[in-house]
Amino acid sequence: MPEIKVTPLGAGQDVGRSCILVSIGGKNIMLDCGMHMGYNDDRRFPDFSYITQNGRLTDFLDCVIISHFHLDHCGALPYMSEMVGYDGPIYMTHPTKAICPILLEDFRKITVDKKGETNFFTSQMIKDCMKKVVPLNLHQTVQVDDELELKAYYAGHVLGAAMVLIKVGSESVVYTGDYNMTPDRHLGAAWIDKCRPDILISESTYATTIRDSKRCRERDFLKKVHESIERGGKVLIPVFALGRAQELCILLETFWERMNLKAPIYFSTGLTEKANHYYKLFITWTNQKIRKTFVQRNMFEFKHIKAFDRSYADNPGPMVVFATPGMLHAGQSLQIFKKWAGNEKNMVIMPGYCVQGTIGHKILNGQRKLEMEGRSTVRIILDVKLQVEYMSFSAHADAKGIMQLIRMAEPRNMLLVHGEALKMEFLKGKIEQEFNIDCYMPANGETITVSTNPSVPVDISLNLLKREMALGGPLPDPKKPRTMHGTLIMKENSMKLVSSEQALKELGLNEHQLRFTCRVQLQDPHSDLDTLHRIYTHLKSLLKGYTIQHVPDGTVMVESIVIKVSSSAEDPNNKVLLLSWSYQVESFSFNYIHSLLKF
Amino acid sequence: MKLYCLSGHPTLPCNVLKFKSTTIMLDCALDTTSVLNYLPLPLVHSPRLSKLPGWISKDGTINLEKKELLDLSTIDVILISNYHCMMALPYITEHTGFTGTVYATEPTLQIGRYATAHLMQLSFYSSNPEMNNFYHNNMKVTLYTFMSAFRLMTNLNIMIKNQEVVGFFLELFGAVQISPLSSGYSLGSSNWIIQSHHEKVSYVSGSSLLTTHPQPMDQSSLKNSDVLILTGLTQMPTANPDGMLGEFCSNLAMTIRAGGNVLVPCYSSGVIYDLLECLYQFIDSANLGTTPFYFISPVANSSLEFSQIFAEWLCHNKQTKVYLPEPPFPHAELIQTNKLKHYPSIHGDFSSDFKQPCVVFTGHPSLRFGDVVHFMELWGKSNLNTIIFTEPDFSYLDALAPYQPLAMKCVYCPIDTRLNFHQVSKLLKEVQPLHVVCPDQYTQPPPSQSHRSDLMLELQPPPMPYRRCSVLNLPFRRCYERVYILPELANSLVPSELKPGVSVANVSAILHSKDNKHTLQVTAPAPPSKKRKRVVEEPPVGGAPKPLLSGAVPLEPFLATLQKHGITEVKVEETTDGHILHLQAEDTLIQLEEDGTHIVCDNNEPLRTTIRDLVLRFLQKL
């Protein structure tokens, strides 16, 4: 029986370094190729030696699919393709293809230039890697080879995020990447059709959370920012350059305009302008409202939000600063955090999920004293006095959203990745209970095997099909099964289902007629002709709905059964019935007609 | 399979394809050439124009009056290939009882939406009863119906991208798959493939092989078509677009240098992007850096903005720019540097900014309505000025007729990037469709150049021509359909090998047909018969019928088999066709022939079945 195998190399009962291997219909596919923000050693990247111990991966993978540009989904891509070695196609959407290399370059700079690591991928490797990328359009069916096809759906998580349907023959898998089932201020909601995959591989970051309405969260957020500004505090919002940042910028921009606020809003890093530009050019990937109004007013042209300079951090008075990266694990956001942490008037708002091991994760868990790595090996203890707020703005589906997606796609099996084990366990129970399907949550390196039961596609001759359909009457009646009979001819790669007569013709065979004849003795005083006629009327009255013919040459035909009468010379009353039929009508004829003739 | 041809205009097609119980309309273009029958609509009353006799050049032909050909309400879907071919859409969606879906790529839909609205606005701005009549008489559409038609389109959320249609009307499309292919002609323009598992129809409309801004034409997907419907070839087979572009630039520069103005009547999207891109490169070298360029159209801004956001639909070079990220079209820079200015109309800001000499792009290319009429009145009298025609849809002489006598120079450089006859023959040679269907006009040289046998399609087998209102029977028979054998049934089948590589299996199964998808599954076990019932009453039905037999029964082995089963006294008699076996002890005859076996056996049912089974051993069952 055919099987689909799924093995996470990363993101199995964990968030970070998403990388899932799928074997389906003899094809091997890698879904995402991410890095882990919580580690700085080997564990940062997925363990590709699982695929092969000796070198290049090209022979072992048919394609690689990247769901979106977040580094935990694409951060290991140049390492995998250029350093481990992979020359096959890498599929991603246009916006992902545009933005991914920039984030990779950023990541490289931080690791190599700032932390001084060697043996890391180079800028050239990023470029070479991107040359292997084949762009995917939404809803476009892409043929990887003759058997393997892909189709991307809108996932809503960040600009260009996609869910992917992977199909080989009648077997299929859907990988969601990260997705969001509620539209936000700049993106639409994820959508998929009822594709009934064998396995739905879903993220489960917020497996146990059911979030309150977006409006409430937005109001809370604005209230907190506003209060802090009012009392003269500084607000730090660590974000990733693309994604939440734009949503929150739109939110603050409209709020500032409405409230006529004067406190400056800054956006760190040179990426801002560029990032917003991407949103302008890929406006078709944003939500309906922005798309509709972009000609009159482009939502990504901000009036109140200005570029940040390092020196502004020491300026007196209130301000709001968006700084990267979002988990406070390095870079500008961490620098500003260190500067502002000591003042209780200040505030840091964490708008997204923080991976274990990052400063963001620590302060969210209430840690108030942080050990920081200094310039040299000196350790500095940082007292955290500023207010720490968490607002879930990260665009992942919550438990309700995940259930909603299952309802949309109607998978036969469910597989959870990209979440914490305990939370997954809870969601797994809920899914199994509500949908009555198997739900898996493999750990990294653990293989899940799901056997599929694909139906066999066959070409049926239209004559046969139409004949069978006509039998059922003009309207199909689901209660009356229509049985059809035919011959399946299997020749090389083709399978044809035709009527038996056509099969004989196509195969160039002669039909062999098998006939039977039997004599039945009968006592009847009438003449031969009369006897025959009596048999005719007798059968006619019994067999309704059959063709019964009285042929002038002295035979009665019931369908294709021939009945003849003769009498012996000695005793005219002793009639002999000759019954002749072919093998094909045997079950109908002999026993039955014979029994009828005992009159 | 039938094709109903509602339009005889080769570049403004409207055909309906009936295929596997679906009815698909391929494009619904509106032939607006009859607008030339009317007088221009000036901004202010013009005594000269109003004194002209209302002249009729030729009969206007509008596509859709031949209703009796086909009930348009039975159309399931409409496929739009580019935004030039959707102007009659509102008529269909509003006045025919059409309840299906319209499919178009996103750029086609977005650009078509305002292009159509533009046409309506232009003609209604002028609020001239005559123009209103034009629409009323011919199309029975009002601005309202146009708008509501587009509302209908958005409501159905029919903006699909290059996709396999499995969405909204599954029961209809279980039968056929529809997918758009890039056609390279304009932003988002597409050809369509309509196929089932065994048949493939390609619809080619307005395609281009030139490298302009759109994504290149997908040619390879057109391969293996049973029928290829070919429309929308170039209207200017003798004009080379590159040459025309050069002529356009040089005439423009010459006029400006001499202190004159240039008027370019054009549509608000399409070729204008290429003209602007060409000028962007040309302006500095020709020292035109200070000349203002004006683009005046109610939808100028939308058109320029929209062109920048469809990266997926652009050629590779432009896509790469978006990755940087930079706007794909250089007109963004022209606008930023104030070289190009755009206005919704000549009222308002334009009148204060207006400086001469200048270049004005405005519509409508028929010169009958829109702001272009005003510029004709303004500049027509001076021989310093030039009007340059680039759109090929209207005869420029007819367009200019009501303005005669004209002093302004007139240059005709039509730019039509669609396939020419040479390109299309090469394409067809490559993709090799079994049959080609095309407008009648393509099967003979144009009437004005009847000696140019290179300006027609010559194919083997010859293409099937269509005229307006023809109904063609497309020449292929469907023989097979896809059916799915469910796993349980597949496992129960017993294949037997007839000869190496060929196996057969008897299939008796229940056929389920739903949404045009057919599946076969195992027959349910017969319900236990009630014994008390008189069996005689009902003839035994159900159960698999006996298979057909094939092969022959060889004499010697058969005798040996009989012997094994205890039938020893056999008298063999040779006949012309075979043998007769007389089983003496049982008084039974077996007649063995090449193509038949006859068993004559009285009142000995067990014997008969034994012999039958022995005979069957030697035969193949189908």
Side-chain angles (χ1 to χ4, degrees):
Chain A
M1 195 155 292
E3 291 171 341
I4 302 177
K5 287 185 178 163
V6 182
T7 316
L9 295 186
Q13 303 182 4
D14 185 19
V15 178
R17 63 165 189 204
S18 282
C19 183
I20 296 134
L21 299 177
V22 173
S23 296
I24 172 171
K27 307 280 168 189
N28 297 315
I29 298 126
M30 180 185 282
L31 303 170
D32 280 340
C33 189
M35 52 84 76
H36 203 296
M37 313 239 185
Y39 300 117
N40 277 322
D41 50 18
D42 282 354
R43 289 172 296 172
R44 180 166 54 197
F45 292 148
D47 179 13
F48 297 112
S49 67
Y50 178 92
I51 302 170
T52 173
Q53 295 284 352
N54 8 326
R56 305 180 67 80
L57 305 175
T58 313
D59 296 340
F60 300 88
L61 291 175
D62 291 279
C63 74
V64 174
I65 299 165
I66 302 295
S67 64
H68 63 284
F69 58 67
H70 277 158
L71 285 176
D72 59 329
H73 292 261
C74 69
L77 195 58
Y79 170 76
M80 193 271 308
S81 75
E82 305 310 308
M83 297 174 78
V84 180
Y86 169 73
D87 299 322
I90 301 169
Y91 290 91
M92 52 178 84
T93 64
H94 284 274
T96 309
K97 187 183 171 190
I99 296 163
C100 179
I102 295 169
L103 297 185
L104 286 171
E105 181 59 29
D106 254 27
F107 174 41
R108 190 198 65 82
K109 267 191 203 145
I110 289 174
T111 331
V112 177
D113 300 353
K114 294 241 169 82
K115 293 188 190 155
E117 270 188 56
T118 51
N119 195 21
F120 204 72
F121 54 78
T122 63
S123 298
Q124 189 54 42
M125 285 179 183
I126 298 175
K127 282 188 192 126
D128 292 340
C129 164
M130 294 314 288
K131 280 182 196 146
K132 298 170 186 172
V133 170
V134 183
L136 271 178
N137 286 344
L138 276 186
H139 301 160
Q140 178 189 22
T141 307
V142 172
Q143 216 74 38
V144 178
D145 56 34
D146 287 345
E147 288 153 341
L148 176 60
E149 61 181 48
L150 309 177
K151 185 171 171 179
Y153 295 91
Y154 191 77
H157 172 67
V158 287
L159 194 71
M163 306 192 274
V164 189
L165 169 70
I166 301 140
K167 213 171 158 188
V168 179
S170 54
E171 296 172 272
S172 60
V173 170
V174 168
Y175 175 58
T176 64
D178 291 356
Y179 63 102
N180 186 9
M181 295 299 285
T182 43
D184 63 27
R185 275 180 190 265
H186 73 306
L187 297 175
W191 178 86
I192 194 162
D193 54 24
K194 206 180 278 304
C195 52
R196 299 198 174 95
D198 290 301
I199 307 178
L200 174 64
I201 304 175
S202 171
E203 64 132 330
S204 50
T205 323
Y206 288 117
T208 53
T209 321
I210 290 183
R211 284 178 293 178
D212 47 3
S213 89
K214 193 107 194 175
R215 293 250 164 261
C216 295
R217 263 179 290 147
E218 285 178 1
R219 211 166 40 229
D220 264 15
F221 170 78
L222 292 173
K223 205 173 126 206
K224 276 175 187 155
V225 172
H226 194 202
E227 279 168 4
S228 198
I229 295 292
E230 289 284 276
R231 61 169 185 263
K234 296 177 167 60
V235 181
L236 170 66
I237 308 171
V239 287
F240 287 99
L242 286 139
R244 266 350 74 201
Q246 277 68 31
E247 186 189 357
L248 296 177
C249 282
I250 292 174
L251 192 61
L252 281 190
E253 168 91 7
T254 34
F255 187 69
W256 249 238
E257 190 138 325
R258 202 174 65 220
M259 306 292 288
N260 202 14
L261 295 177
K262 292 284 178 281
I265 308 175
Y266 296 115
F267 201 116
S268 83
T269 78
L271 203 56
T272 341
E273 189 84 5
K274 231 176 167 182
N276 291 338
H277 229 91
Y278 279 117
Y279 278 86
K280 281 188 225 164
L281 293 175
F282 287 112
I283 211 129
T284 49
W285 287 79
T286 59
N287 71 24
Q288 200 91 36
K289 193 180 156 206
I290 293 185
R291 275 190 345 227
K292 246 190 194 157
T293 55
F294 91 102
V295 176
Q296 289 82 42
R297 174 156 196 250
N298 200 316
M299 288 297 265
F300 298 103
E301 274 160 21
F302 300 115
K303 265 191 266 167
H304 297 271
I305 300 168
K306 296 179 185 73
F308 180 74
D309 187 275
R310 189 175 300 207
S311 60
Y312 295 173
D314 300 319
N315 283 0
M319 68 173 85
V320 180
V321 175
F322 289 96
T324 57
M327 299 187 192
L328 285 179
H329 54 282
Q332 203 151 31
S333 62
L334 186 60
Q335 281 171 17
I336 299 170
F337 175 76
K338 283 189 211 161
K339 271 195 181 143
W340 292 358
N343 189 339
E344 60 273 8
K345 270 206 287 186
N346 296 341
M347 182 189 284
V348 59
I349 300 180
M350 306 296 298
Y353 183 85
C354 288
V355 165
Q356 235 167 12
T358 58
I359 305 249
H361 189 261
K362 285 177 193 158
I363 58 168
L364 279 183
N365 280 338
Q367 216 172 312
R368 304 305 279 184
K369 286 200 189 302
L370 297 170
E371 206 173 278
M372 309 298 282
E373 283 173 44
R375 261 276 159 227
S376 48
T377 47
V378 188
R379 304 236 152 207
I380 304 161
I381 301 293
L382 184 68
D383 259 328
V384 181
K385 287 193 186 141
L386 89 178
Q387 249 179 293
V388 178
E389 294 288 347
Y390 174 68
M391 302 246 100
S392 163
F393 272 99
S394 51
H396 293 278
D398 60 2
K400 216 166 82 189
I402 296 170
M403 302 303 254
Q404 205 181 332
L405 189 80
I406 299 175
R407 231 164 278 139
M408 267 183 175
E410 292 192 359
R412 294 191 185 86
N413 294 280
M414 190 69 197
L415 194 144
L416 300 177
V417 294
H418 199 283
E420 291 158 33
L422 272 178
K423 293 182 181 175
M424 275 186 185
E425 198 78 59
F426 175 80
L427 184 65
K428 173 176 143 74
K430 250 185 84 174
I431 290 171
E432 288 179 331
Q433 186 193 347
E434 190 167 334
F435 297 101
N436 198 20
I437 55 175
D438 285 329
C439 181
Y440 305 93
M441 39 175 284
N444 288 336
E446 183 188 341
T447 301
I448 294 295
T449 306
V450 171
S451 50
T452 57
N453 224 347
S455 44
V456 184
V458 166
D459 295 334
I460 188 170
S461 109
L462 215 55
N463 289 336
L464 182 61
L465 182 70
K466 285 205 171 147
R467 194 166 79 192
E468 294 305 329
M469 303 234 301
L471 280 182
L475 289 171
D477 180 358
K479 285 179 189 157
K480 258 198 195 145
R482 291 175 294 163
T483 322
M484 64 137 281
H485 308 283
T487 304
L488 185 65
I489 307 177
M490 288 164 270
K491 219 190 268 180
E492 281 148 28
N493 292 327
S494 82
M495 288 207 261
K496 280 196 262 180
L497 185 59
V498 296
S499 62
S500 305
E501 293 87 352
Q502 199 184 336
L504 278 178
K505 229 186 263 169
E506 290 214 355
L507 295 166
L509 299 174
N510 286 328
E511 193 188 344
H512 188 98
Q513 292 272 356
L514 178 56
R515 286 194 76 82
F516 306 97
T517 301
C518 109
R519 276 170 294 194
V520 183
Q521 308 276 338
L522 198 70
Q523 288 295 323
D524 193 52
H526 301 82
S527 75
D528 293 358
L529 267 178
D530 283 347
T531 313
L532 194 66
H533 191 73
R534 286 184 59 211
I535 292 170
Y536 171 69
T537 38
H538 175 66
L539 290 177
K540 189 101 182 161
S541 67
L542 284 175
L543 293 171
K544 302 249 153 61
Y546 287 85
T547 14
I548 301 172
Q549 287 172 288
H550 191 166
V551 189
D553 71 346
T555 49
V556 167
M557 306 261 298
V558 182
E559 302 281 327
S560 65
I561 301 160
V562 182
I563 304 170
K564 278 189 183 177
V565 178
S566 63
S567 49
S568 64
E570 305 98 59
D571 180 3
N573 286 348
N574 192 10
K575 297 281 189 301
V576 177
L577 289 189
L578 267 182
L579 222 64
S580 177
W581 69 96
S582 73
Y583 172 62
Q584 278 75 25
V585 294
E586 186 182 54
S587 53
F588 172 69
S589 83
F590 182 75
N591 295 325
Y592 184 60
I593 300 284
H594 199 235
S595 68
L596 288 182
L597 286 174
K598 285 173 187 150
F599 54 157
Chain B
M1 189 159 99
K2 279 186 176 176
L3 188 71
Y4 298 77
C5 310
L6 303 183
S7 162
H9 194 299
T11 31
L12 296 168
C14 181
N15 296 315
V16 175
L17 177 72
K18 285 206 176 194
F19 176 38
K20 273 189 87 175
S21 73
T22 60
T23 307
I24 301 167
M25 179 177 265
L26 306 167
D27 281 333
C28 53
L30 172 65
D31 185 350
T32 49
T33 44
S34 55
V35 74
L36 292 174
N37 301 343
Y38 296 83
L39 289 174
L41 294 166
L43 196 61
V44 286
H45 178 73
S46 153
R48 189 187 66 84
L49 280 178
S50 59
K51 264 186 244 149
L52 284 176
W55 63 292
I56 298 293
S57 61
K58 49 191 151 173
D59 264 346
T61 46
I62 296 292
N63 304 322
L64 299 157
E65 61 205 40
K66 274 280 174 188
K67 278 188 206 156
E68 61 271 28
L69 202 58
L70 179 83
D71 179 2
L72 294 178
S73 69
T74 60
I75 290 170
D76 299 314
V77 290
I78 302 179
L79 308 180
I80 303 294
S81 49
N82 63 63
Y83 50 82
H84 295 292
C85 295
M86 62 190 289
M87 299 297 173
L89 202 52
Y91 172 78
I92 310 237
T93 52
E94 294 301 302
H95 291 278
T96 61
F98 170 76
T99 52
T101 315
V102 183
Y103 288 99
T105 63
E106 190 167 349
T108 298
L109 184 73
Q110 298 288 2
I111 298 172
R113 191 201 305 268
Y114 63 73
T116 313
H118 178 201
L119 186 65
M120 293 308 299
Q121 271 171 335
L122 282 179
S123 54
F124 279 84
Y125 266 140
S126 15
S127 68
N128 179 306
E130 218 174 326
M131 274 313 292
N132 268 327
N133 278 341
F134 166 69
Y135 268 95
H136 269 290
N137 294 341
N138 295 309
M139 292 289 301
K140 300 192 182 63
V141 245
T142 60
L143 183 62
Y144 168 75
T145 57
F146 258 94
M147 287 323 190
S148 58
F150 283 109
R151 222 171 301 137
L152 180 75
M153 288 168 68
T154 29
N155 282 349
L156 290 171
N157 192 17
I158 46 129
M159 295 172 225
I160 57 149
K161 293 192 175 179
N162 205 3
Q163 79 168 24
E164 175 193 311
V165 183
V166 286
F168 300 97
F169 300 116
L170 209 65
E171 68 277 9
L172 195 65
F173 286 105
V176 290
Q177 290 183 341
I178 296 170
S179 47
L181 306 174
S182 171
S183 77
Y185 168 54
S186 61
L187 199 55
S189 68
S190 57
N191 294 321
W192 295 85
I193 301 278
I194 301 134
Q195 63 184 341
S196 66
H197 282 287
H198 299 94
E199 300 86 18
K200 178 169 173 180
V201 179
S202 302
Y203 174 60
V204 174
S205 164
S207 304
S208 174
L209 291 172
L210 298 180
T211 329
T212 55
H213 56 275
Q215 201 180 34
M217 178 180 179
D218 178 352
Q219 301 176 59
S220 58
S221 303
L222 296 172
K223 279 183 185 159
N224 304 320
S225 304
D226 294 294
V227 172
L228 188 143
I229 303 167
L230 179 71
T231 66
L233 299 184
T234 178
Q235 303 188 72
M236 296 293 145
T238 48
N240 170 6
D242 278 334
M244 289 295 137
L245 210 53
E247 216 169 292
F248 169 79
C249 287
S250 62
N251 276 297
L252 186 141
M254 225 149 58
T255 308
I256 297 290
R257 278 196 211 109
N261 301 294
V262 177
L263 178 61
V264 186
C266 62
Y267 292 119
S268 48
S269 51
V271 174
I272 183 153
Y273 303 142
D274 295 317
L275 291 180
L276 290 174
E277 179 148 12
C278 178
L279 287 173
Y280 169 78
Q281 291 154 357
F282 180 72
I283 283 174
D284 291 325
S285 64
N287 246 336
L288 297 174
T290 52
T291 313
F293 287 75
Y294 301 115
F295 178 19
I296 304 165
S297 153
V299 294
N301 189 26
S302 310
S303 168
L304 295 173
E305 289 286 339
F306 266 106
S307 65
Q308 306 285 17
I309 64 161
F310 294 114
E312 289 97 321
W313 303 93
L314 294 174
C315 63
H316 185 256
N317 277 344
K318 298 223 178 305
Q319 264 181 15
T320 333
K321 282 186 109 180
V322 174
Y323 293 154
L324 289 176
E326 278 170 23
F329 284 96
H331 55 239
E333 198 185 316
L334 288 176
I335 295 168
Q336 223 165 30
T337 54
N338 260 332
K339 283 176 182 149
L340 174 67
K341 292 182 185 171
H342 55 83
Y343 304 90
S345 79
I346 50 174
H347 308 284
D349 289 347
F350 175 70
S351 35
S352 50
D353 295 355
F354 182 47
K355 272 192 212 89
Q356 303 192 62
C358 64
V359 180
V360 170
F361 297 89
T362 188
H364 184 269
S366 65
L367 307 190
R368 288 301 176 272
F369 52 91
D371 290 329
V372 71
V373 178
H374 174 72
F375 286 101
M376 284 305 291
E377 297 279 287
L378 186 68
W379 290 345
K381 292 161 210 95
S382 161
N383 63 358
L384 282 178
N385 303 328
T386 306
I387 178 168
I388 310 182
F389 290 89
T390 57
E391 303 287 353
D393 286 354
F394 298 93
S395 148
Y396 79 106
L397 291 174
D398 285 350
L400 286 173
Y403 298 98
Q404 299 292 3
L406 265 181
M408 88 195 287
K409 278 192 292 280
C410 171
V411 178
Y412 185 53
C413 25
I415 297 173
D416 193 334
T417 58
R418 286 174 279 209
L419 295 175
N420 60 35
F421 286 100
H422 175 68
Q423 290 165 327
V424 85
S425 340
K426 211 174 139 216
L427 172 75
L428 291 176
K429 236 174 242 161
E430 237 158 75
V431 304
Q432 295 202 320
L434 290 183
H435 303 279
V436 174
V437 177
C438 71
D440 187 36
Q441 290 93 327
Y442 294 162
T443 57
Q444 60 214 31
S448 55
Q449 291 155 299
S450 52
H451 61 288
R452 293 288 297 270
S453 62
D454 56 326
L455 298 184
M456 61 179 279
L457 270 184
E458 274 182 292
L459 298 171
Q460 261 331 306
M464 303 174 63
Y466 72 78
R467 286 186 187 82
R468 181 156 160 269
C469 299
S470 15
V471 179
L472 300 185
N473 274 310
L474 297 184
F476 67 79
R477 264 174 56 86
R478 302 202 300 118
C479 297
Y480 286 98
E481 175 70 275
R482 184 50 60 95
V483 69
Y484 292 90
I485 298 185
L486 291 186
E488 202 187 341
L489 176 65
N491 286 338
S492 73
L493 294 180
V494 190
S496 60
E497 193 171 44
L498 276 187
K499 46 192 165 189
V502 181
S503 309
V504 292
N506 279 310
V507 180
S508 281
I510 292 181
L511 175 70
H512 277 276
S513 301
K514 194 177 160 192
D515 299 339
N516 277 323
K517 299 260 186 252
H518 311 288
T519 53
L520 289 176
Q521 62 183 52
V522 285
T523 44
S529 57
K530 287 174 190 156
K531 277 199 177 145
R532 247 192 280 158
K533 221 174 173 184
R534 275 165 58 203
V535 190
V536 199
E537 285 294 312
E538 279 178 54
V541 284
K546 295 289 193 263
L548 293 184
L549 303 172
S550 172
V553 183
L555 181 64
E556 292 305 327
F558 182 61
L559 286 174
T561 322
L562 284 178
Q563 198 142 25
K564 243 188 246 167
H565 285 77
I567 302 166
T568 47
E569 270 180 75
V570 182
K571 202 179 121 201
V572 181
E573 193 183 310
E574 200 155 325
T575 64
T576 45
D577 298 322
H579 299 89
I580 293 178
L581 279 55
H582 190 201
L583 280 54
Q584 290 172 320
E586 295 83 7
D587 191 23
T588 292
L589 287 175
I590 304 172
Q591 197 176 344
L592 292 183
E593 281 170 13
E594 193 57 36
D595 55 358
T597 301
H598 195 168
I599 300 168
V600 184
C601 170
D602 297 334
N603 280 328
N604 192 346
E605 187 61 11
L607 177 69
R608 188 187 70 82
T609 49
T610 316
I611 298 174
R612 178 196 67 195
D613 294 342
L614 294 181
V615 168
L616 286 178
R617 281 194 199 177
F618 294 93
L619 297 172
Q620 285 148 351
K621 294 154 208 80
L622 285 170

